[in-house]
Amino acid sequence: MSRDDLAQGTETATETTDADRFTNARAIRSTALFEDYTELIADLTEEFGEARITDIARRLGVTHPTANKAVLRLKREGLAISRPYRGVFLTEAGAAMAREVKARHRLVVRLLIAVGVPPDAAEMDAEGIEHYVSETTLKAFEAYLEGRG
């Protein structure tokens, strides 16, 4: 693209696609936080009957104020509730998000192991990939794994 094109604000199809990709990636990064927290809250609730801020912070390796701030965001988004002198609990929307993230995680781990990634590395890598992979790609992963059956 020339300087004239930039000055006039014209874009090529490639640039529009690039902009869409980068905008999508930024939106996913924001959603990834919600997904990580809902997944962890679901795990802690299953294990202990509730998810305490202290446990959330420790498991995610963040400070108590950071975990508290994130939980407040979850509550504003309708994904979690908290009770006085108790922990944090997921709403139905939060629980649905946690189930979806766990399913994506398991599928990505299965695919990575199927292509030869060691299980420990697959678990670690899936933690990032699970947030960025599209539904189209997930369906392709599933079809690939089923075809290996």
Side-chain angles (χ1 to χ4, degrees):
M1 175 178 275
S2 72
R3 286 180 187 260
D4 290 339
D5 290 337
L6 286 171
Q8 294 174 359
T10 58
E11 297 179 348
T12 66
T14 300
E15 289 163 340
T16 301
T17 302
D18 288 345
D20 291 342
R21 273 196 346 250
F22 291 121
T23 298
N24 186 52
R26 284 190 301 276
I28 290 169
R29 272 194 295 275
S30 176
T31 304
L33 175 76
F34 291 146
E35 291 176 343
D36 283 342
Y37 274 83
T38 58
E39 186 177 15
L40 178 59
I41 291 168
D43 290 346
L44 290 169
T45 301
E46 186 176 312
E47 190 174 342
F48 301 112
E50 66 183 4
R52 297 177 314 143
I53 295 290
T54 303
D55 295 329
I56 294 169
R58 184 174 33 75
R59 291 261 184 113
L60 289 176
V62 300
T63 65
H64 191 278
T66 298
N68 199 45
K69 184 177 178 183
V71 168
L72 289 173
R73 287 182 62 200
L74 289 174
K75 289 166 62 175
R76 278 195 305 269
E77 294 294 323
L79 299 170
I81 59 170
S82 60
R83 299 188 182 135
Y85 308 107
R86 293 283 317 269
V88 178
F89 302 89
L90 295 174
T91 63
E92 185 50 47
M97 178 181 278
R99 284 189 300 274
E100 183 181 317
V101 173
K102 285 180 182 196
R104 284 195 321 252
H105 182 89
R106 285 190 304 271
L107 178 57
V108 172
V109 168
R110 284 178 44 222
L111 176 79
L112 293 174
I113 290 171
V115 298
V117 176
D120 288 346
E123 282 291 338
M124 181 74 75
D125 292 342
E127 190 56 46
I129 295 169
E130 71 192 24
H131 301 295
Y132 291 91
V133 67
S134 70
E135 287 300 316
T136 301
T137 301
L138 286 171
K139 287 177 184 172
F141 288 177
E142 187 67 44
Y144 172 80
L145 290 168
E146 286 175 8
R148 296 182 74 238

